[in-house]
Amino acid sequence: MPSFASLTALVAAVGLVAASPVSLEKRKAFTVEQVEKGKFIRNGAASVASTYLKYGKAVPANIAAAAAAQGSVAASPSDEYDSSYLCPVDVGGTTMELDFDTGSADLWVFSSLQPSSQTAGHAVYQASSSKVKSGYTWKISYGDGSGAAGKVYADKVVVGGVTATSQAVEAATSISTQFQQDTNNDGLLGLSFSSINTVKPKAQTTFFDTVKSTLAKPLFGVDLKYHAAGTYDFGFIDTSKFSGAVTYVDVDSSQGFWGFTASGYIVGNGTQSSTSIDAIADTGTTLLYIPLAAVKAYYKEVSGAKLDSTQGGYTFPCSATLPDWTAIIGGTKHTIPGKYINYAPISDGSSTCFGGIQDDSDIGQSIFGDIFLKSQYVVFNGASTPKLGFAQQ
Ligand SMILES: C[C@@H](SC(=N)N)c1ccc(Cl)cc1
Ligand SMILES: C[C@@H](SC(=N)N)c1ccc(Cl)cc1
Protein backbone atom coordinates (compact mmCIF):
# COMPACT_ATOMS: atom_id res chain seq x y z
CA MET A 1 0.00 0.00 0.00
CA PRO A 2 1.65 3.30 -1.00
CA SER A 3 2.48 5.66 1.86
CA PHE A 4 0.45 8.84 2.19
CA ALA A 5 3.60 10.87 1.56
CA SER A 6 4.36 9.07 -1.68
CA LEU A 7 0.78 9.41 -2.84
CA THR A 8 0.88 13.12 -1.99
CA ALA A 9 4.09 13.48 -3.91
CA LEU A 10 2.58 11.63 -6.84
CA VAL A 11 -0.61 13.72 -6.80
CA ALA A 12 1.49 16.86 -6.45
CA ALA A 13 3.52 15.77 -9.48
CA VAL A 14 0.38 15.08 -11.46
CA GLY A 15 -1.04 18.30 -10.03
CA LEU A 16 2.01 20.16 -11.34
CA VAL A 17 1.46 18.73 -14.79
CA ALA A 18 -2.28 19.43 -14.55
CA ALA A 19 -1.56 22.95 -13.32
CA SER A 20 -0.22 23.75 -16.77
CA PRO A 21 -2.41 26.22 -18.74
CA VAL A 22 -5.49 23.98 -18.78
CA SER A 23 -8.30 26.07 -17.25
CA LEU A 24 -10.45 24.27 -14.70
CA GLU A 25 -13.62 24.08 -16.79
CA LYS A 26 -11.72 22.44 -19.71
CA ARG A 27 -9.87 19.94 -17.54
CA LYS A 28 -11.23 16.44 -18.11
CA ALA A 29 -11.41 13.81 -15.42
CA PHE A 30 -8.07 12.07 -15.02
CA THR A 31 -6.95 9.09 -13.00
CA VAL A 32 -3.86 8.93 -10.88
CA GLU A 33 -2.25 5.55 -11.37
CA GLN A 34 -1.18 4.35 -7.97
CA VAL A 35 2.26 2.77 -7.83
CA GLU A 36 3.58 1.09 -4.73
CA LYS A 37 5.97 3.19 -2.66
CA GLY A 38 9.52 2.71 -3.83
CA LYS A 39 8.34 1.28 -7.17
CA PHE A 40 8.35 3.48 -10.21
CA ILE A 41 8.29 2.80 -13.92
CA ARG A 42 11.92 2.35 -14.86
CA ASN A 43 11.28 1.15 -18.36
CA GLY A 44 8.90 3.20 -20.50
CA ALA A 45 8.87 0.65 -23.31
CA ALA A 46 7.94 -2.12 -20.86
CA SER A 47 5.09 0.02 -19.58
CA VAL A 48 3.83 0.73 -23.11
CA ALA A 49 4.12 -2.96 -23.97
CA SER A 50 2.03 -3.89 -20.93
CA THR A 51 -0.67 -1.43 -22.02
CA TYR A 52 -0.89 -3.08 -25.44
CA LEU A 53 -1.21 -6.44 -23.72
CA LYS A 54 -3.79 -5.08 -21.28
CA TYR A 55 -6.10 -4.32 -24.21
CA GLY A 56 -5.32 -7.58 -26.00
CA LYS A 57 -3.31 -5.87 -28.70
CA ALA A 58 -0.10 -7.21 -30.28
CA VAL A 59 2.97 -5.39 -29.02
CA PRO A 60 4.75 -3.72 -31.96
CA ALA A 61 8.16 -5.27 -32.56
CA ASN A 62 10.08 -2.08 -31.84
CA ILE A 63 8.32 -1.65 -28.48
CA ALA A 64 8.86 -5.31 -27.61
CA ALA A 65 12.55 -5.04 -28.52
CA ALA A 66 13.10 -1.89 -26.46
CA ALA A 67 11.18 -3.38 -23.53
CA ALA A 68 13.53 -6.32 -23.10
CA ALA A 69 16.84 -5.45 -24.70
CA GLN A 70 19.53 -8.11 -24.85
CA GLY A 71 22.62 -8.73 -26.91
CA SER A 72 26.05 -10.32 -27.13
CA VAL A 73 29.45 -9.01 -28.14
CA ALA A 74 32.63 -10.99 -28.90
CA ALA A 75 35.55 -10.75 -26.46
CA SER A 76 38.81 -11.50 -28.29
CA PRO A 77 42.24 -12.00 -26.69
CA SER A 78 44.44 -8.93 -27.24
CA ASP A 79 47.50 -11.20 -27.74
CA GLU A 80 48.53 -14.89 -27.79
CA TYR A 81 48.68 -14.96 -23.96
CA ASP A 82 45.17 -13.61 -23.22
CA SER A 83 46.74 -10.52 -21.57
CA SER A 84 43.38 -8.82 -21.96
CA TYR A 85 40.20 -9.23 -24.00
CA LEU A 86 38.87 -6.62 -26.42
CA CYS A 87 35.29 -6.07 -27.57
CA PRO A 88 34.04 -3.98 -30.53
CA VAL A 89 31.87 -1.08 -29.37
CA ASP A 90 30.10 1.61 -31.46
CA VAL A 91 31.00 4.88 -29.73
CA GLY A 92 29.22 7.79 -31.43
CA GLY A 93 29.43 6.01 -34.79
CA THR A 94 33.05 4.85 -34.53
CA THR A 95 33.78 1.17 -33.84
CA MET A 96 36.40 0.94 -31.08
CA GLU A 97 38.07 -2.11 -29.48
CA LEU A 98 37.56 -1.70 -25.73
CA ASP A 99 38.80 -3.65 -22.71
CA PHE A 100 35.69 -4.54 -20.68
CA ASP A 101 36.75 -4.15 -17.07
CA THR A 102 34.59 -5.29 -14.13
CA GLY A 103 37.25 -3.70 -11.87
CA SER A 104 36.57 -0.08 -12.86
CA ALA A 105 33.62 2.19 -13.69
CA ASP A 106 34.85 4.57 -16.41
CA LEU A 107 34.15 4.23 -20.15
CA TRP A 108 37.11 6.05 -21.63
CA VAL A 109 38.42 6.14 -25.20
CA PHE A 110 41.34 7.31 -27.29
CA SER A 111 40.20 10.63 -28.74
CA SER A 112 40.88 13.53 -31.10
CA LEU A 113 41.86 15.55 -27.99
CA GLN A 114 45.18 13.65 -27.69
CA PRO A 115 48.41 14.42 -29.52
CA SER A 116 48.26 12.48 -32.80
CA SER A 117 51.54 10.78 -31.81
CA GLN A 118 49.53 8.91 -29.15
CA THR A 119 46.65 7.80 -31.35
CA ALA A 120 48.48 6.37 -34.38
CA GLY A 121 47.13 2.87 -35.11
CA HIS A 122 44.10 3.33 -32.87
CA ALA A 123 40.42 4.00 -33.53
CA VAL A 124 39.79 7.55 -32.31
CA TYR A 125 36.64 9.11 -30.85
CA GLN A 126 35.92 12.41 -32.59
CA ALA A 127 35.19 14.77 -29.69
CA SER A 128 32.63 17.32 -30.88
CA SER A 129 31.77 20.41 -28.85
CA SER A 130 28.06 19.87 -29.49
CA LYS A 131 28.22 16.77 -27.32
CA VAL A 132 30.57 18.01 -24.60
CA LYS A 133 29.48 17.92 -20.95
CA SER A 134 30.86 21.32 -20.17
CA GLY A 135 33.08 21.51 -17.09
CA TYR A 136 33.23 17.73 -16.60
CA THR A 137 36.59 15.97 -16.28
CA TRP A 138 37.91 12.54 -15.39
CA LYS A 139 41.20 11.07 -14.22
CA ILE A 140 41.85 7.40 -13.45
CA SER A 141 44.79 5.32 -12.27
CA TYR A 142 44.85 1.53 -12.26
CA GLY A 143 46.43 -0.97 -9.95
CA ASP A 144 49.32 -1.57 -12.32
CA GLY A 145 50.25 2.13 -12.26
CA SER A 146 48.78 2.90 -15.66
CA GLY A 147 46.29 5.71 -16.05
CA ALA A 148 44.51 8.28 -18.24
CA ALA A 149 42.58 11.56 -17.99
CA GLY A 150 40.39 13.82 -20.11
CA LYS A 151 37.03 15.45 -20.80
CA VAL A 152 33.47 14.08 -20.91
CA TYR A 153 30.92 13.84 -23.74
CA ALA A 154 27.38 12.44 -23.98
CA ASP A 155 26.94 10.16 -26.96
CA LYS A 156 25.28 7.01 -28.27
CA VAL A 157 27.09 3.78 -27.35
CA VAL A 158 26.04 0.41 -28.77
CA VAL A 159 27.32 -2.92 -27.39
CA GLY A 160 26.11 -6.12 -29.09
CA GLY A 161 23.00 -4.29 -30.31
CA VAL A 162 22.15 -2.88 -26.88
CA THR A 163 21.98 0.92 -27.13
CA ALA A 164 22.71 3.58 -24.52
CA THR A 165 21.33 6.68 -26.21
CA SER A 166 23.21 9.14 -23.99
CA GLN A 167 26.19 7.48 -22.33
CA ALA A 168 29.00 9.41 -20.63
CA VAL A 169 31.96 8.94 -22.99
CA GLU A 170 35.24 9.92 -21.36
CA ALA A 171 37.52 11.23 -24.10
CA ALA A 172 41.24 11.05 -23.26
CA THR A 173 43.46 14.11 -23.40
CA SER A 174 46.40 12.16 -21.89
CA ILE A 175 47.26 8.47 -21.33
CA SER A 176 50.13 6.71 -19.55
CA THR A 177 53.00 5.02 -21.38
CA GLN A 178 51.49 1.56 -20.76
CA PHE A 179 48.41 2.56 -22.76
CA GLN A 180 50.55 4.26 -25.39
CA GLN A 181 52.40 0.97 -25.82
CA ASP A 182 49.22 -1.11 -25.84
CA THR A 183 48.47 -0.71 -29.54
CA ASN A 184 45.47 -3.08 -29.61
CA ASN A 185 43.28 -1.31 -27.11
CA ASP A 186 41.26 1.84 -27.87
CA GLY A 187 40.09 2.32 -24.29
CA LEU A 188 38.20 0.71 -21.43
CA LEU A 189 34.53 0.05 -20.71
CA GLY A 190 34.02 -0.17 -16.96
CA LEU A 191 31.57 -2.73 -15.57
CA SER A 192 32.14 -2.34 -11.83
CA PHE A 193 29.65 -0.44 -9.68
CA SER A 194 29.19 3.18 -10.78
CA SER A 195 30.10 4.35 -7.25
CA ILE A 196 33.79 4.41 -8.25
CA ASN A 197 33.36 6.38 -11.50
CA THR A 198 35.98 9.17 -11.53
CA VAL A 199 34.05 11.90 -13.40
CA LYS A 200 33.85 15.27 -11.65
CA PRO A 201 31.84 17.30 -10.64
CA LYS A 202 29.25 14.47 -10.91
CA ALA A 203 29.98 10.74 -11.18
CA GLN A 204 28.51 9.06 -14.27
CA THR A 205 26.96 5.62 -14.74
CA THR A 206 28.66 2.68 -16.40
CA PHE A 207 27.25 1.45 -19.70
CA PHE A 208 25.61 -1.45 -17.81
CA ASP A 209 23.97 0.86 -15.26
CA THR A 210 22.85 3.20 -18.07
CA VAL A 211 21.01 0.42 -19.96
CA LYS A 212 20.15 -1.88 -17.03
CA SER A 213 16.47 -0.86 -16.79
CA THR A 214 15.95 -1.64 -20.49
CA LEU A 215 17.47 -5.13 -20.29
CA ALA A 216 15.29 -8.26 -20.21
CA LYS A 217 17.17 -9.12 -16.99
CA PRO A 218 19.43 -6.71 -15.01
CA LEU A 219 22.57 -8.77 -15.56
CA PHE A 220 25.45 -9.60 -17.88
CA GLY A 221 27.10 -12.97 -18.46
CA VAL A 222 30.84 -13.26 -19.10
CA ASP A 223 32.28 -16.13 -21.14
CA LEU A 224 36.02 -15.47 -21.51
CA LYS A 225 37.94 -18.29 -23.15
CA TYR A 226 41.46 -19.77 -23.11
CA HIS A 227 43.32 -18.59 -26.23
CA ALA A 228 40.01 -18.06 -28.07
CA ALA A 229 37.25 -15.50 -28.46
CA GLY A 230 34.40 -15.56 -25.95
CA THR A 231 31.46 -13.26 -25.33
CA TYR A 232 29.79 -10.78 -23.01
CA ASP A 233 26.00 -11.38 -22.90
CA PHE A 234 23.86 -8.43 -21.77
CA GLY A 235 20.35 -8.99 -20.38
CA PHE A 236 20.37 -12.79 -20.56
CA ILE A 237 22.19 -15.93 -19.46
CA ASP A 238 23.36 -18.15 -22.34
CA THR A 239 22.95 -21.66 -20.92
CA SER A 240 24.65 -23.14 -24.00
CA LYS A 241 27.96 -21.71 -22.79
CA PHE A 242 28.40 -23.81 -19.66
CA SER A 243 27.71 -27.21 -18.14
CA GLY A 244 25.87 -27.86 -14.90
CA ALA A 245 24.27 -25.30 -12.62
CA VAL A 246 25.20 -21.69 -11.88
CA THR A 247 26.18 -21.31 -8.21
CA TYR A 248 25.24 -17.89 -6.85
CA VAL A 249 26.98 -16.08 -3.99
CA ASP A 250 26.52 -12.76 -2.19
CA VAL A 251 28.32 -9.65 -3.45
CA ASP A 252 30.14 -7.05 -1.34
CA SER A 253 29.93 -3.88 -3.48
CA SER A 254 31.12 -1.57 -0.66
CA GLN A 255 34.40 -0.82 -2.48
CA GLY A 256 32.68 -0.51 -5.86
CA PHE A 257 33.88 -3.95 -6.97
CA TRP A 258 32.14 -7.31 -7.50
CA GLY A 259 33.47 -8.70 -4.20
CA PHE A 260 32.77 -12.26 -3.06
CA THR A 261 34.22 -15.00 -0.84
CA ALA A 262 35.62 -18.38 -1.86
CA SER A 263 35.37 -20.66 1.18
CA GLY A 264 38.45 -22.72 0.28
CA TYR A 265 40.69 -24.09 -2.46
CA ILE A 266 42.28 -27.29 -3.74
CA VAL A 267 45.65 -27.73 -5.47
CA GLY A 268 45.49 -30.50 -8.09
CA ASN A 269 43.81 -33.56 -6.58
CA GLY A 270 45.00 -32.68 -3.08
CA THR A 271 43.17 -32.05 0.15
CA GLN A 272 40.76 -29.11 0.38
CA SER A 273 42.06 -26.10 2.29
CA SER A 274 39.43 -24.30 4.36
CA THR A 275 41.28 -20.99 4.04
CA SER A 276 38.62 -18.58 2.79
CA ILE A 277 39.59 -15.99 0.19
CA ASP A 278 37.85 -12.60 -0.09
CA ALA A 279 38.28 -11.56 -3.72
CA ILE A 280 36.90 -9.47 -6.57
CA ALA A 281 35.81 -10.82 -9.95
CA ASP A 282 37.88 -8.64 -12.27
CA THR A 283 37.91 -9.06 -16.06
CA GLY A 284 40.41 -6.17 -16.34
CA THR A 285 43.14 -8.02 -14.45
CA THR A 286 45.03 -10.71 -16.34
CA LEU A 287 46.15 -13.05 -13.56
CA LEU A 288 44.83 -14.72 -10.39
CA TYR A 289 46.16 -12.99 -7.25
CA ILE A 290 45.65 -14.93 -3.99
CA PRO A 291 47.20 -15.01 -0.47
CA LEU A 292 50.89 -15.99 -0.32
CA ALA A 293 50.24 -19.20 1.64
CA ALA A 294 47.93 -20.43 -1.14
CA VAL A 295 50.46 -19.40 -3.81
CA LYS A 296 53.23 -21.32 -2.07
CA ALA A 297 50.99 -24.39 -1.69
CA TYR A 298 50.42 -24.32 -5.46
CA TYR A 299 54.02 -23.89 -6.66
CA LYS A 300 55.22 -26.50 -4.18
CA GLU A 301 53.69 -28.94 -6.69
CA VAL A 302 55.51 -27.47 -9.73
CA SER A 303 59.05 -28.70 -10.44
CA GLY A 304 61.46 -25.84 -10.95
CA ALA A 305 59.02 -23.18 -9.76
CA LYS A 306 60.55 -20.25 -7.85
CA LEU A 307 59.80 -16.72 -6.75
CA ASP A 308 61.95 -14.61 -9.07
CA SER A 309 62.09 -11.04 -7.72
CA THR A 310 63.72 -9.87 -10.96
CA GLN A 311 60.64 -11.05 -12.86
CA GLY A 312 58.27 -9.82 -10.15
CA GLY A 313 56.65 -13.14 -9.36
CA TYR A 314 56.67 -16.93 -9.56
CA THR A 315 58.21 -18.53 -12.65
CA PHE A 316 58.76 -22.11 -13.78
CA PRO A 317 60.13 -24.03 -16.77
CA CYS A 318 57.66 -23.64 -19.69
CA SER A 319 57.77 -27.46 -19.96
CA ALA A 320 56.44 -27.92 -16.41
CA THR A 321 53.27 -29.93 -15.82
CA LEU A 322 50.90 -27.66 -13.92
CA PRO A 323 48.27 -28.93 -11.46
CA ASP A 324 44.68 -27.69 -11.70
CA TRP A 325 43.51 -25.12 -9.15
CA THR A 326 40.01 -25.29 -7.69
CA ALA A 327 38.11 -22.61 -5.79
CA ILE A 328 35.22 -23.62 -3.56
CA ILE A 329 32.50 -21.03 -4.23
CA GLY A 330 29.01 -21.35 -2.80
CA GLY A 331 29.90 -24.89 -1.74
CA THR A 332 30.72 -26.04 -5.29
CA LYS A 333 34.02 -26.66 -7.08
CA HIS A 334 35.20 -24.28 -9.79
CA THR A 335 38.38 -25.52 -11.45
CA ILE A 336 41.09 -23.89 -13.58
CA PRO A 337 42.76 -26.51 -15.81
CA GLY A 338 46.52 -26.53 -15.11
CA LYS A 339 47.50 -25.42 -18.59
CA TYR A 340 45.61 -22.12 -18.10
CA ILE A 341 48.08 -21.31 -15.31
CA ASN A 342 51.01 -21.04 -17.71
CA TYR A 343 50.57 -17.36 -18.57
CA ALA A 344 53.49 -16.58 -20.91
CA PRO A 345 57.27 -16.83 -21.39
CA ILE A 346 59.03 -14.17 -19.29
CA SER A 347 60.42 -12.77 -22.56
CA ASP A 348 59.82 -13.72 -26.19
CA GLY A 349 61.43 -17.10 -26.88
CA SER A 350 62.39 -17.78 -23.25
CA SER A 351 61.92 -21.31 -21.86
CA THR A 352 61.05 -19.80 -18.50
CA CYS A 353 57.38 -19.01 -18.05
CA PHE A 354 55.48 -16.62 -15.75
CA GLY A 355 52.83 -18.12 -13.51
CA GLY A 356 49.14 -17.28 -13.80
CA ILE A 357 48.81 -17.52 -10.01
CA GLN A 358 50.64 -14.79 -8.07
CA ASP A 359 50.82 -13.24 -4.59
CA ASP A 360 48.21 -10.63 -3.64
CA SER A 361 50.26 -9.17 -0.75
CA ASP A 362 51.03 -5.87 -2.52
CA ILE A 363 47.40 -5.42 -3.62
CA GLY A 364 45.57 -5.60 -0.34
CA GLN A 365 42.87 -7.91 -1.71
CA SER A 366 42.65 -11.06 -3.79
CA ILE A 367 41.74 -10.70 -7.45
CA PHE A 368 40.12 -13.44 -9.51
CA GLY A 369 41.27 -12.14 -12.89
CA ASP A 370 41.13 -13.66 -16.37
CA ILE A 371 43.21 -16.77 -15.51
CA PHE A 372 40.30 -17.87 -13.29
CA LEU A 373 37.37 -16.26 -15.10
CA LYS A 374 38.15 -17.98 -18.42
CA SER A 375 37.37 -21.34 -16.77
CA GLN A 376 33.83 -20.23 -15.86
CA TYR A 377 30.68 -18.62 -17.18
CA VAL A 378 30.21 -15.75 -14.73
CA VAL A 379 26.86 -14.02 -14.14
CA PHE A 380 27.15 -10.44 -12.87
CA ASN A 381 23.62 -9.88 -11.56
CA GLY A 382 22.91 -6.19 -10.94
CA ALA A 383 19.54 -6.64 -9.23
CA SER A 384 18.80 -4.49 -6.18
CA THR A 385 20.66 -7.14 -4.18
CA PRO A 386 23.54 -7.92 -6.55
CA LYS A 387 24.78 -11.50 -6.93
CA LEU A 388 27.65 -13.29 -8.65
CA GLY A 389 27.05 -16.62 -10.36
CA PHE A 390 29.74 -19.12 -11.38
CA ALA A 391 29.30 -22.11 -13.70
CA GLN A 392 32.11 -24.40 -14.93
CA GLN A 393 32.61 -24.01 -18.71
C1 LIG B 1 41.03 -3.58 -9.54
C2 LIG B 1 42.26 -3.84 -10.35
S1 LIG B 1 42.46 -2.57 -11.60
C3 LIG B 1 41.15 -2.77 -12.62
N1 LIG B 1 40.67 -3.94 -12.93
N2 LIG B 1 40.66 -1.64 -13.15
C4 LIG B 1 43.50 -3.79 -9.54
C5 LIG B 1 43.58 -3.00 -8.40
C6 LIG B 1 44.77 -2.94 -7.71
C7 LIG B 1 45.86 -3.69 -8.18
CL1 LIG B 1 47.37 -3.60 -7.31
C8 LIG B 1 45.78 -4.47 -9.31
C9 LIG B 1 44.59 -4.51 -9.99
C1 LIG C 1 45.80 -1.59 -21.22
C2 LIG C 1 46.43 -1.96 -19.91
S1 LIG C 1 47.64 -0.72 -19.62
C3 LIG C 1 48.84 -1.75 -19.32
N1 LIG C 1 49.28 -2.46 -20.32
N2 LIG C 1 49.29 -1.85 -18.08
C4 LIG C 1 45.43 -2.00 -18.83
C5 LIG C 1 45.64 -1.35 -17.63
C6 LIG C 1 44.70 -1.42 -16.67
C7 LIG C 1 43.54 -2.13 -16.90
CL1 LIG C 1 42.33 -2.20 -15.68
C8 LIG C 1 43.33 -2.77 -18.08
C9 LIG C 1 44.29 -2.70 -19.04
Side-chain angles (χ1 to χ4, degrees):
M1 184 53 196
S3 74
F4 177 72
S6 69
L7 204 56
T8 313
L10 190 65
V11 170
V14 172
L16 274 177
V17 170
S20 59
V22 176
S23 62
L24 277 183
E25 59 278 7
K26 282 186 194 152
R27 196 185 321 183
K28 301 234 178 339
F30 64 94
T31 55
V32 174
E33 187 186 328
Q34 283 192 13
V35 289
E36 271 177 68
K37 177 172 170 17
K39 278 207 166 69
F40 57 97
I41 293 169
R42 304 170 74 88
N43 180 340
S47 167
V48 170
S50 65
T51 303
Y52 275 90
L53 295 172
K54 180 176 170 181
Y55 294 99
K57 302 293 180 193
V59 178
N62 64 319
I63 302 287
Q70 64 181 57
S72 296
V73 65
S76 302
S78 60
D79 62 23
E80 61 191 296
Y81 310 116
D82 300 348
S83 296
S84 60
Y85 294 82
L86 301 174
C87 307
V89 177
D90 175 347
V91 184
T94 301
T95 298
M96 306 187 82
E97 295 296 328
L98 303 185
D99 182 350
F100 284 22
D101 176 20
T102 58
S104 66
D106 287 49
L107 194 173
W108 74 261
V109 289
F110 278 64
S111 87
S112 56
L113 304 176
Q114 292 171 256
S116 54
S117 58
Q118 287 185 0
T119 59
H122 286 273
V124 171
Y125 174 71
Q126 195 57 40
S128 56
S129 51
S130 64
K131 295 175 180 172
V132 73
K133 290 180 73 74
S134 182
Y136 282 65
T137 59
W138 61 280
K139 183 175 179 358
I140 196 163
S141 48
Y142 297 106
D144 65 356
S146 62
K151 297 180 178 176
V152 187
Y153 295 75
D155 213 336
K156 185 170 112 170
V157 173
V158 186
V159 177
V162 176
T163 298
T165 48
S166 184
Q167 171 65 37
V169 175
E170 301 174 32
T173 53
S174 61
I175 61 174
S176 65
T177 48
Q178 295 106 314
F179 282 106
Q180 293 181 41
Q181 289 157 359
D182 201 334
T183 52
N184 305 311
N185 152 324
D186 300 324
L188 264 71
L189 187 142
L191 291 169
S192 72
F193 290 86
S194 297
S195 57
I196 55 174
N197 177 268
T198 73
V199 171
K200 295 190 185 320
K202 192 168 172 292
Q204 303 296 299
T205 53
T206 64
F207 169 80
F208 174 57
D209 277 349
T210 304
V211 302
K212 185 156 58 171
S213 63
T214 69
L215 296 176
K217 292 179 181 172
L219 60 82
F220 59 94
V222 182
D223 173 27
L224 301 181
K225 288 187 174 300
Y226 174 72
H227 296 179
T231 57
Y232 282 77
D233 300 322
F234 286 91
F236 76 106
I237 292 171
D238 187 338
T239 54
S240 74
K241 291 180 179 153
F242 55 88
S243 55
V246 179
T247 299
Y248 286 95
V249 289
D250 292 343
V251 165
D252 168 9
S253 62
S254 61
Q255 305 306 306
F257 300 122
W258 292 89
F260 70 100
T261 298
S263 58
Y265 65 86
I266 303 170
V267 176
N269 301 314
T271 55
Q272 181 170 320
S273 163
S274 58
T275 303
S276 76
I277 300 175
D278 293 335
I280 65 170
D282 182 6
T283 57
T285 290
T286 313
L287 307 182
L288 170 61
Y289 295 90
I290 55 177
L292 183 56
V295 178
K296 286 180 174 178
Y298 182 80
Y299 289 115
K300 184 164 165 272
E301 306 302 326
V302 179
S303 311
K306 65 176 183 175
L307 176 55
D308 181 339
S309 52
T310 313
Q311 294 304 320
Y314 281 83
T315 64
F316 44 75
C318 296
S319 57
T321 301
L322 296 169
D324 298 348
W325 190 82
T326 297
I328 310 299
I329 303 171
T332 54
K333 293 179 178 175
H334 299 269
T335 299
I336 312 172
K339 74 174 185 180
Y340 291 18
I341 300 168
N342 183 337
Y343 167 50
I346 57 171
S347 302
D348 268 2
S350 171
S351 65
T352 299
C353 280
F354 198 75
I357 291 176
Q358 297 294 341
D359 177 15
D360 68 6
S361 300
D362 295 346
I363 298 174
Q365 69 180 11
S366 299
I367 301 183
F368 280 33
D370 301 337
I371 291 285
F372 176 78
L373 299 174
K374 70 179 82 170
S375 70
Q376 307 291 308
Y377 185 89
V378 186
V379 179
F380 292 75
N381 186 317
S384 40
T385 300
K387 295 280 185 189
L388 270 173
F390 297 91
Q392 190 75 29
Q393 280 194 39

